[in-house]
Coordinates of all heavy atoms in Angstrom, one line a residue:
M21 N -66.2 28.2 65.0 CA -66.9 28.8 64.0 C -66.3 28.4 62.6 O -65.1 28.5 62.5 CB -67.0 30.3 64.2 CG -67.7 31.0 63.0 SD -67.5 32.8 63.1 CE -69.2 33.1 64.1
A22 N -67.2 27.9 61.8 CA -66.8 27.3 60.5 C -66.6 28.5 59.5 O -67.4 29.5 59.5 CB -67.6 26.3 59.9
L23 N -65.7 28.5 58.6 CA -65.5 29.5 57.6 C -66.3 29.1 56.4 O -66.1 28.0 55.8 CB -64.1 29.6 57.2 CG -63.6 30.7 56.1 CD1 -64.0 32.1 56.7 CD2 -62.2 30.5 55.8
D24 N -67.2 30.0 55.8 CA -68.0 29.6 54.7 C -67.2 30.2 53.4 O -67.1 31.4 53.2 CB -69.4 30.3 54.9 CG -70.3 30.1 53.7 OD1 -70.1 28.9 53.1 OD2 -71.2 30.9 53.4
I25 N -66.8 29.3 52.6 CA -66.2 29.6 51.4 C -67.0 29.4 50.1 O -66.4 29.2 49.1 CB -64.8 29.0 51.2 CG1 -64.9 27.5 51.3 CG2 -63.9 29.5 52.3 CD1 -63.6 26.8 50.9
S26 N -68.3 29.2 50.2 CA -69.2 28.9 49.1 C -69.2 29.9 48.1 O -69.6 29.7 47.0 CB -70.6 28.5 49.6 OG -71.2 29.6 50.2
G27 N -69.0 31.2 48.5 CA -68.8 32.3 47.5 C -67.7 32.1 46.5 O -67.7 32.9 45.6
L28 N -66.8 31.4 46.9 CA -65.6 31.2 46.0 C -66.0 30.5 44.7 O -65.3 30.7 43.7 CB -64.6 30.3 46.8 CG -63.2 30.7 46.4 CD1 -62.7 32.1 46.9 CD2 -62.2 29.5 47.1
N29 N -67.1 29.7 44.7 CA -67.6 29.1 43.5 C -68.0 30.2 42.4 O -67.8 29.9 41.2 CB -68.8 28.3 43.7 CG -68.4 27.0 44.3 OD1 -67.2 26.5 44.3 ND2 -69.4 26.4 45.1
Y30 N -68.2 31.4 42.8 CA -68.6 32.5 41.9 C -67.4 32.9 41.1 O -67.4 33.2 39.9 CB -69.3 33.6 42.6 CG -69.7 34.8 41.7 CD1 -70.7 34.7 40.9 CD2 -68.8 35.9 41.6 CE1 -71.0 35.8 40.0 CE2 -69.1 37.0 40.9 CZ -70.2 36.9 40.0 OH -70.6 37.9 39.2
F31 N -66.2 32.9 41.7 CA -65.0 33.3 41.2 C -64.1 32.2 40.6 O -63.0 32.4 40.1 CB -64.1 34.1 42.3 CG -64.8 35.3 42.7 CD1 -65.3 35.3 44.0 CD2 -64.9 36.5 41.9 CE1 -65.9 36.5 44.4 CE2 -65.4 37.6 42.3 CZ -66.0 37.6 43.6
M32 N -64.6 30.9 40.6 CA -63.9 29.7 40.2 C -63.5 29.8 38.8 O -62.3 29.4 38.4 CB -64.7 28.5 40.5 CG -63.8 27.2 40.5 SD -62.4 27.4 41.7 CE -61.4 26.1 41.1
P33 N -64.2 30.2 37.8 CA -63.7 30.4 36.4 C -62.5 31.2 36.3 O -61.6 30.9 35.5 CB -64.9 30.9 35.6 CG -66.1 30.5 36.4 CD -65.6 30.5 37.8
A34 N -62.5 32.4 37.0 CA -61.5 33.4 36.9 C -60.2 32.8 37.7 O -59.0 32.9 37.2 CB -61.8 34.7 37.5
I35 N -60.4 32.0 38.8 CA -59.3 31.5 39.5 C -58.6 30.4 38.6 O -57.4 30.2 38.6 CB -59.7 30.9 40.8 CG1 -60.2 32.1 41.8 CG2 -58.7 30.1 41.5 CD1 -60.8 31.7 43.0
G36 N -59.5 29.5 38.0 CA -59.0 28.5 37.1 C -58.2 29.1 35.9 O -57.2 28.5 35.5
F37 N -58.7 30.2 35.4 CA -58.0 30.9 34.2 C -56.7 31.3 34.7 O -55.6 31.1 34.0 CB -58.9 32.1 33.8 CG -58.2 32.9 32.8 CD1 -58.2 32.4 31.4 CD2 -57.6 34.1 33.0 CE1 -57.5 33.2 30.4 CE2 -57.0 34.8 32.1 CZ -57.0 34.4 30.7
L38 N -56.6 32.0 35.8 CA -55.3 32.5 36.2 C -54.3 31.4 36.7 O -53.1 31.4 36.4 CB -55.5 33.4 37.6 CG -56.3 34.7 37.2 CD1 -56.4 35.5 38.4 CD2 -55.2 35.5 36.3
F39 N -54.9 30.2 37.2 CA -54.1 29.2 37.6 C -53.4 28.5 36.4 O -52.3 28.3 36.3 CB -54.9 28.0 38.3 CG -54.2 26.8 38.7 CD1 -53.3 26.9 39.7 CD2 -54.4 25.7 38.1 CE1 -52.6 25.7 40.1 CE2 -53.8 24.5 38.4 CZ -52.9 24.5 39.5
V40 N -54.2 28.3 35.3 CA -53.7 27.6 34.2 C -52.6 28.7 33.4 O -51.7 28.2 33.0 CB -54.9 27.2 33.1 CG1 -54.3 26.9 31.8 CG2 -55.7 26.1 33.7
L41 N -53.0 29.8 33.3 CA -52.1 30.9 32.7 C -50.8 30.9 33.5 O -49.7 30.9 32.8 CB -52.8 32.3 32.8 CG -52.0 33.5 32.2 CD1 -51.7 33.2 30.7 CD2 -52.6 34.8 32.5
V42 N -50.7 30.9 34.8 CA -49.6 31.0 35.5 C -48.7 29.7 35.3 O -47.5 29.7 35.1 CB -49.8 31.3 37.0 CG1 -48.6 31.0 37.9 CG2 -50.2 32.7 37.2
I43 N -49.4 28.5 35.4 CA -48.7 27.3 35.1 C -48.0 27.1 33.8 O -46.9 26.8 33.7 CB -49.5 26.0 35.6 CG1 -50.0 26.2 37.0 CG2 -48.8 24.8 35.2 CD1 -48.9 26.0 38.0
V44 N -48.9 27.4 32.7 CA -48.3 27.3 31.4 C -47.2 28.3 31.1 O -46.2 28.0 30.5 CB -49.6 27.5 30.4 CG1 -49.0 27.6 29.0 CG2 -50.5 26.4 30.5
Y45 N -47.4 29.5 31.7 CA -46.4 30.5 31.4 C -45.1 30.1 32.2 O -44.0 30.2 31.5 CB -46.8 31.9 32.0 CG -45.9 33.0 31.7 CD1 -45.8 33.6 30.6 CD2 -44.9 33.4 32.8 CE1 -44.8 34.6 30.4 CE2 -44.1 34.3 32.6 CZ -43.9 35.0 31.4 OH -43.0 35.9 31.3
A46 N -45.2 29.6 33.3 CA -44.0 29.2 34.1 C -43.3 28.0 33.4 O -42.0 28.0 33.4 CB -44.4 28.8 35.5
V47 N -44.0 27.0 33.0 CA -43.4 25.9 32.3 C -42.8 26.3 31.1 O -41.6 25.9 30.8 CB -44.5 24.8 32.0 CG1 -43.9 23.8 31.1 CG2 -44.9 24.2 33.3
F48 N -43.4 27.1 30.3 CA -42.7 27.5 28.9 C -41.6 28.4 29.1 O -40.5 28.4 28.4 CB -43.8 28.2 28.0 CG -44.7 27.2 27.2 CD1 -45.9 27.6 26.8 CD2 -44.3 25.9 27.1 CE1 -46.8 26.7 26.2 CE2 -45.1 25.0 26.4 CZ -46.3 25.5 26.0
E49 N -41.7 29.3 30.1 CA -40.6 30.2 30.4 C -39.4 29.5 30.9 O -38.3 30.0 30.5 CB -41.1 31.3 31.4 CG -40.1 32.5 31.6 CD -39.9 33.3 30.4 OE1 -40.8 33.4 29.5 OE2 -38.8 33.8 30.2
T50 N -39.5 28.5 31.8 CA -38.4 27.8 32.3 C -37.8 26.8 31.4 O -36.6 26.7 31.4 CB -38.7 27.1 33.6 OG1 -39.8 26.2 33.3 CG2 -39.2 28.1 34.7
T51 N -38.6 26.2 30.5 CA -38.0 25.4 29.6 C -37.4 25.9 28.3 O -36.7 25.4 27.5 CB -39.1 24.2 29.1 OG1 -40.1 24.9 28.6 CG2 -39.4 23.4 30.4
K52 N -37.9 27.2 28.1 CA -37.4 27.9 26.9 C -37.8 27.3 25.5 O -37.0 27.3 24.6 CB -36.0 28.2 26.9 CG -35.4 29.0 28.1 CD -35.8 30.5 28.0 CE -35.2 31.2 29.2 NZ -35.9 32.3 29.5
I53 N -38.9 26.6 25.6 CA -39.4 25.8 24.3 C -39.7 26.7 23.2 O -39.3 26.5 22.0 CB -40.6 24.9 24.7 CG1 -40.3 23.8 25.6 CG2 -41.2 24.4 23.4 CD1 -41.4 23.0 26.1
L54 N -40.3 27.9 23.5 CA -40.7 28.9 22.5 C -39.6 29.9 22.2 O -40.0 30.9 21.7 CB -42.1 29.4 22.8 CG -43.2 28.5 23.0 CD1 -44.5 29.1 23.5 CD2 -43.5 27.7 21.6
G55 N -38.5 29.8 22.7 CA -37.5 30.9 22.6 C -37.5 31.8 23.9 O -38.1 31.5 24.8
G56 N -36.9 32.9 23.7 CA -36.7 33.9 24.7 C -37.8 34.9 24.9 O -37.8 35.7 25.7
S57 N -38.7 35.0 23.9 CA -39.8 36.0 23.9 C -40.8 35.8 24.9 O -41.6 34.9 24.9 CB -40.4 36.2 22.5 OG -41.4 37.1 22.5
K58 N -40.8 36.7 26.0 CA -41.9 36.6 27.0 C -43.3 36.8 26.4 O -44.3 36.2 27.0 CB -41.5 37.4 28.2 CG -40.2 37.0 28.8 CD -40.0 37.9 30.0 CE -38.8 37.4 30.8 NZ -38.6 38.0 32.1
W59 N -43.4 37.7 25.4 CA -44.8 37.9 24.9 C -45.4 36.8 24.2 O -46.6 36.5 24.3 CB -44.7 39.3 24.0 CG -44.7 40.5 24.7 CD1 -43.6 41.2 25.0 CD2 -45.7 41.1 25.4 NE1 -44.0 42.3 25.8 CE2 -45.2 42.3 26.1 CE3 -47.1 40.6 25.8 CZ2 -46.0 43.0 26.9 CZ3 -47.8 41.6 26.5 CH2 -47.3 42.7 27.1
I60 N -44.4 36.1 23.5 CA -45.1 34.8 22.8 C -45.5 33.8 23.8 O -46.6 33.1 23.7 CB -44.0 34.2 21.8 CG1 -43.8 35.2 20.6 CG2 -44.4 32.9 21.3 CD1 -42.7 34.9 19.7
V61 N -44.6 33.6 24.8 CA -45.0 32.7 25.9 C -46.3 33.1 26.7 O -47.2 32.2 26.9 CB -43.8 32.6 26.9 CG1 -44.2 31.8 28.1 CG2 -42.6 32.0 26.2
F62 N -46.4 34.4 26.9 CA -47.7 34.8 27.6 C -48.9 34.7 26.6 O -49.9 34.2 27.1 CB -47.5 36.4 27.8 CG -48.8 36.9 28.5 CD1 -49.0 36.7 29.8 CD2 -49.6 37.7 27.7 CE1 -50.2 37.2 30.4 CE2 -50.8 38.2 28.3 CZ -51.0 37.9 29.6
I63 N -48.8 35.0 25.4 CA -49.9 34.7 24.4 C -50.3 33.2 24.3 O -51.5 32.9 24.3 CB -49.5 35.4 23.0 CG1 -49.6 36.8 23.2 CG2 -50.6 34.9 22.0 CD1 -49.1 37.6 21.9
I64 N -49.3 32.4 24.2 CA -49.5 31.0 24.2 C -50.3 30.5 25.5 O -51.3 29.7 25.5 CB -48.4 30.1 23.9 CG1 -47.8 30.4 22.5 CG2 -48.7 28.6 24.0 CD1 -48.6 30.1 21.4
G65 N -49.8 31.0 26.6 CA -50.4 30.7 27.9 C -51.8 31.2 28.0 O -52.7 30.6 28.6
F66 N -52.0 32.4 27.5 CA -53.3 33.0 27.4 C -54.3 32.3 26.7 O -55.5 32.1 27.1 CB -53.2 34.4 27.0 CG -54.5 35.3 27.0 CD1 -54.8 35.8 28.3 CD2 -55.3 35.5 26.0 CE1 -56.0 36.5 28.5 CE2 -56.5 36.2 26.1 CZ -56.8 36.7 27.4
I67 N -53.9 31.8 25.5 CA -54.7 31.0 24.6 C -55.1 29.7 25.3 O -56.3 29.2 25.2 CB -54.1 30.7 23.3 CG1 -54.1 32.1 22.4 CG2 -54.8 29.7 22.4 CD1 -53.2 32.0 21.2
V68 N -54.1 29.0 25.9 CA -54.5 27.7 26.5 C -55.4 28.0 27.8 O -56.3 27.2 28.1 CB -53.0 27.0 27.1 CG1 -53.3 25.9 28.0 CG2 -52.3 26.6 25.8
A69 N -55.1 29.0 28.5 CA -56.0 29.3 29.6 C -57.4 29.7 29.2 O -58.4 29.3 29.9 CB -55.4 30.5 30.4
I70 N -57.6 30.3 28.2 CA -59.0 30.5 27.5 C -59.6 29.3 27.2 O -60.8 29.2 27.4 CB -59.0 31.5 26.3 CG1 -58.5 32.9 26.9 CG2 -60.2 31.5 25.6 CD1 -58.9 34.1 26.1
I71 N -58.8 28.4 26.6 CA -59.5 27.1 26.2 C -59.9 26.3 27.6 O -61.1 25.8 27.5 CB -58.4 26.2 25.4 CG1 -58.3 26.8 24.0 CG2 -58.9 24.8 25.3 CD1 -57.1 26.2 23.2
F72 N -59.1 26.4 28.6 CA -59.4 25.8 29.8 C -60.6 26.4 30.4 O -61.5 25.8 31.1 CB -58.2 25.7 30.7 CG -57.4 24.4 30.6 CD1 -56.5 24.3 29.7 CD2 -57.6 23.4 31.5 CE1 -55.8 23.1 29.6 CE2 -56.9 22.2 31.4 CZ -56.0 22.1 30.4
A73 N -60.8 27.7 30.3 CA -61.8 28.5 30.9 C -63.2 28.3 30.3 O -64.2 28.4 30.8 CB -61.5 29.9 31.0
T74 N -63.1 28.0 28.9 CA -64.3 27.9 28.2 C -65.0 26.5 28.1 O -66.3 26.4 27.9 CB -64.2 28.5 26.7 OG1 -63.2 27.7 26.1 CG2 -63.9 29.9 26.8
L75 N -64.2 25.5 28.2 CA -64.7 24.1 28.1 C -65.1 23.6 29.5 O -64.3 23.7 30.5 CB -63.7 23.2 27.4 CG -63.3 23.6 26.1 CD1 -62.2 22.6 25.6 CD2 -64.5 23.4 25.2
A76 N -66.3 23.1 29.6 CA -66.8 22.7 30.9 C -65.9 21.4 31.5 O -65.8 21.4 32.7 CB -68.2 22.3 30.8
S77 N -65.6 20.5 30.7 CA -64.8 19.4 31.2 C -63.5 19.8 31.8 O -63.0 19.3 32.8 CB -64.7 18.3 30.2 OG -64.0 18.8 29.1
T78 N -62.9 20.8 31.2 CA -61.5 21.3 31.6 C -61.7 22.1 32.9 O -60.8 22.1 33.7 CB -60.8 22.0 30.6 OG1 -61.6 23.1 30.1 CG2 -60.5 21.2 29.4
Q79 N -62.9 22.8 33.0 CA -63.1 23.5 34.3 C -63.2 22.5 35.4 O -62.6 22.8 36.5 CB -64.3 24.4 34.1 CG -64.1 25.7 33.2 CD -65.5 26.4 33.2 OE1 -66.5 26.0 33.7 NE2 -65.5 27.6 32.7
E80 N -63.9 21.6 35.2 CA -64.0 20.5 36.2 C -62.7 19.8 36.5 O -62.4 19.6 37.8 CB -65.0 19.3 35.8 CG -65.4 18.4 36.9 CD -66.1 19.1 38.0 OE1 -66.9 20.1 37.8 OE2 -66.0 18.7 39.2
Y81 N -61.9 19.7 35.7 CA -60.5 19.1 35.8 C -59.7 20.1 36.7 O -59.0 19.7 37.6 CB -59.8 18.8 34.5 CG -58.4 18.3 34.7 CD1 -58.2 17.0 35.1 CD2 -57.4 19.2 34.4 CE1 -56.9 16.5 35.2 CE2 -56.1 18.7 34.6 CZ -55.8 17.4 34.9 OH -54.6 17.0 35.0
V82 N -59.8 21.4 36.3 CA -59.1 22.3 37.1 C -59.5 22.5 38.5 O -58.7 22.6 39.5 CB -59.0 23.7 36.3 CG1 -58.4 24.9 37.2 CG2 -58.3 23.6 35.1
R83 N -60.9 22.4 38.7 CA -61.5 22.5 40.1 C -60.9 21.2 40.9 O -60.8 21.4 42.1 CB -62.9 22.3 40.0 CG -63.6 23.6 39.7 CD -65.1 23.6 39.9 NE -65.7 24.8 39.3 CZ -66.6 24.8 38.4 NH1 -67.2 23.6 38.1 NH2 -67.1 25.9 37.9
N84 N -60.8 20.1 40.2 CA -60.3 18.9 41.0 C -58.8 18.9 41.2 O -58.3 18.3 42.2 CB -60.7 17.7 40.2 CG -62.1 17.3 40.3 OD1 -62.8 17.8 41.2 ND2 -62.6 16.7 39.3
V85 N -58.0 19.5 40.4 CA -56.6 19.4 40.5 C -56.0 20.6 41.3 O -55.0 20.4 42.1 CB -56.0 19.5 39.1 CG1 -54.4 19.7 39.1 CG2 -56.2 18.2 38.3
T86 N -56.7 21.8 41.3 CA -56.1 22.9 42.1 C -55.9 22.6 43.5 O -54.9 23.0 44.1 CB -57.0 24.2 41.8 OG1 -57.1 24.3 40.5 CG2 -56.5 25.4 42.5
P87 N -56.7 22.1 44.3 CA -56.6 21.8 45.7 C -55.4 20.8 46.0 O -54.7 21.0 46.9 CB -57.9 21.1 46.3 CG -58.9 21.6 45.3 CD -58.3 21.8 43.9
W88 N -55.3 19.8 45.1 CA -54.2 18.9 45.2 C -52.9 19.4 44.9 O -51.9 19.2 45.4 CB -54.4 17.6 44.3 CG -55.5 16.7 44.9 CD1 -56.8 16.7 44.4 CD2 -55.5 16.0 46.1 NE1 -57.5 15.8 45.2 CE2 -56.8 15.4 46.3 CE3 -54.5 15.8 47.0 CZ2 -57.0 14.6 47.4 CZ3 -54.8 14.9 48.0 CH2 -56.0 14.3 48.2
F89 N -52.8 20.4 43.9 CA -51.7 21.2 43.6 C -51.2 22.0 44.8 O -50.0 22.1 45.1 CB -51.9 22.0 42.4 CG -50.6 22.8 41.9 CD1 -49.7 22.0 41.2 CD2 -50.4 24.1 42.1 CE1 -48.6 22.6 40.7 CE2 -49.2 24.6 41.6 CZ -48.4 24.0 40.9
A90 N -52.2 22.7 45.5 CA -51.9 23.4 46.7 C -51.3 22.6 47.8 O -50.4 22.9 48.5 CB -53.1 24.1 47.2
V91 N -51.9 21.3 48.0 CA -51.4 20.5 48.9 C -50.0 20.0 48.6 O -49.2 19.8 49.4 CB -52.3 19.2 49.0 CG1 -51.7 18.1 49.9 CG2 -53.6 19.5 49.7
L92 N -49.8 19.7 47.3 CA -48.4 19.3 46.9 C -47.4 20.5 47.2 O -46.2 20.1 47.6 CB -48.4 19.2 45.4 CG -47.0 18.9 44.7 CD1 -46.5 17.5 45.3 CD2 -47.1 18.9 43.2
L93 N -47.8 21.7 46.9 CA -46.9 22.8 47.2 C -46.6 22.9 48.7 O -45.3 23.2 49.1 CB -47.3 24.1 46.6 CG -47.3 24.3 45.1 CD1 -48.0 25.7 44.7 CD2 -45.9 24.2 44.7
I94 N -47.5 22.9 49.5 CA -47.3 23.0 51.0 C -46.5 21.7 51.5 O -45.5 22.0 52.2 CB -48.8 22.9 51.7 CG1 -49.4 24.3 51.4 CG2 -48.6 22.7 53.2 CD1 -50.9 24.3 51.8
A95 N -46.8 20.5 50.9 CA -45.8 19.4 51.3 C -44.6 19.6 50.9 O -43.5 19.3 51.7 CB -46.5 18.1 50.8
L96 N -44.3 20.1 49.8 CA -42.9 20.3 49.2 C -42.2 21.3 50.0 O -41.0 21.2 50.4 CB -43.0 20.7 47.7 CG -41.7 20.9 47.0 CD1 -40.9 19.5 46.9 CD2 -41.9 21.4 45.6
F97 N -42.9 22.4 50.5 CA -42.4 23.4 51.3 C -41.9 22.9 52.6 O -40.7 23.0 53.1 CB -43.3 24.5 51.5 CG -42.9 25.5 52.5 CD1 -41.9 26.5 52.2 CD2 -43.4 25.5 53.9 CE1 -41.4 27.4 53.2 CE2 -43.0 26.5 54.9 CZ -42.0 27.4 54.4
F98 N -42.8 22.0 53.3 CA -42.3 21.4 54.4 C -41.2 20.4 54.3 O -40.3 20.3 55.3 CB -43.6 20.8 55.1 CG -44.4 21.8 55.9 CD1 -45.7 22.0 55.6 CD2 -43.9 22.6 56.9 CE1 -46.6 22.9 56.1 CE2 -44.7 23.6 57.5 CZ -46.0 23.8 57.1
I99 N -41.2 19.6 53.3 CA -40.1 18.7 53.1 C -38.8 19.4 52.9 O -37.7 19.1 53.4 CB -40.3 17.8 51.8 CG1 -41.5 16.8 52.2 CG2 -39.1 17.1 51.4 CD1 -42.0 16.0 51.0
L100 N -38.8 20.6 52.0 CA -37.5 21.4 51.9 C -37.1 22.0 53.2 O -35.9 22.1 53.4 CB -37.7 22.4 50.8 CG -37.9 21.8 49.4 CD1 -38.2 22.8 48.4 CD2 -36.6 21.0 49.0
L101 N -38.0 22.5 53.9 CA -37.8 23.1 55.2 C -37.2 22.1 56.2 O -36.2 22.4 56.9 CB -39.1 23.6 55.9 CG -38.9 24.3 57.2 CD1 -38.1 25.6 57.1 CD2 -40.3 24.5 57.9
L102 N -37.7 20.9 56.2 CA -37.1 19.7 57.0 C -35.8 19.4 56.6 O -34.9 19.2 57.4 CB -38.1 18.5 57.0 CG -37.7 17.3 57.8 CD1 -37.9 17.7 59.4 CD2 -38.5 16.1 57.5
I103 N -35.6 19.3 55.3 CA -34.2 19.0 54.8 C -33.2 20.2 55.1 O -32.0 19.9 55.5 CB -34.2 18.8 53.3 CG1 -34.9 17.5 52.9 CG2 -32.9 18.8 52.7 CD1 -35.2 17.4 51.5
G104 N -33.7 21.3 54.9 CA -32.8 22.6 55.3 C -32.4 22.6 56.8 O -31.3 23.1 57.1
L105 N -33.4 22.3 57.7 CA -33.1 22.3 59.1 C -32.3 21.1 59.6 O -31.7 21.2 60.7 CB -34.4 22.4 59.9 CG -35.2 23.7 59.7 CD1 -36.5 23.6 60.5 CD2 -34.5 24.9 60.2
S106 N -32.3 20.0 58.9 CA -31.5 18.9 59.3 C -30.1 18.8 58.9 O -29.4 17.9 59.4 CB -32.3 17.6 58.9 OG -32.2 17.5 57.4
Q107 N -29.7 19.7 58.0 CA -28.3 19.7 57.5 C -27.3 20.4 58.6 O -27.8 21.4 59.2 CB -28.1 20.4 56.1 CG -28.9 19.6 55.1 CD -28.7 20.3 53.7 OE1 -28.2 21.4 53.6 NE2 -29.1 19.7 52.7
N108 N -26.2 19.8 58.7 CA -25.2 20.4 59.6 C -24.3 21.4 58.9 O -23.9 21.0 57.7 CB -24.4 19.3 60.4 CG -25.3 18.5 61.3 OD1 -26.3 19.0 61.9 ND2 -24.9 17.2 61.5
K109 N -23.8 22.4 59.5 CA -22.9 23.3 58.9 C -21.6 23.2 59.5 O -21.3 23.0 60.6 CB -23.4 24.7 58.9 CG -24.7 24.9 58.1 CD -24.5 25.9 57.2 CE -25.8 25.9 56.2 NZ -25.7 26.7 55.2

């Protein structure tokens, strides 16, 4: 039996918004480009996410990149798991 995920297209703008917000927030928070204020980093991430959510071309870009980002994270997890299991103590 196949899983029907066509209803996910309805929520895609919100998922894209959250995806961009989390990625921008994480990058700015780890690099400390904007200083140590988490609120400023959140506001900048929110603004960038709104820009991505309102422009049609950027929504299509996020739709194309998100599955590949998930594949990258899963592959990275398995590579790190393989490295962790292959080391001798």
Side-chain angles (χ1 to χ4, degrees):
M21 179 184 262
L23 181 65
D24 183 27
I25 59 170
S26 62
L28 212 65
N29 283 336
Y30 180 74
F31 297 108
M32 196 59 196
I35 292 171
F37 174 81
L38 289 174
F39 178 73
V40 171
L41 178 65
V42 167
I43 296 298
V44 170
Y45 182 81
V47 168
F48 282 157
E49 188 64 30
T50 56
T51 59
K52 303 287 185 200
I53 291 174
L54 299 173
S57 177
K58 292 185 179 191
W59 282 104
I60 292 176
V61 172
F62 179 76
I63 290 171
I64 297 297
F66 189 78
I67 291 170
V68 171
I70 288 202
I71 290 171
F72 267 83
T74 57
L75 297 175
S77 61
T78 56
Q79 283 181 355
E80 187 64 31
Y81 178 73
V82 171
R83 278 191 196 127
N84 290 333
V85 169
T86 303
W88 288 107
F89 188 74
V91 168
L92 174 70
L93 287 179
I94 292 170
L96 186 64
F97 171 75
F98 282 119
I99 289 170
L100 291 175
L101 181 70
L102 184 67
I103 290 170
L105 291 175
S106 68
Q107 293 181 352
N108 293 331
K109 296 240 173 183

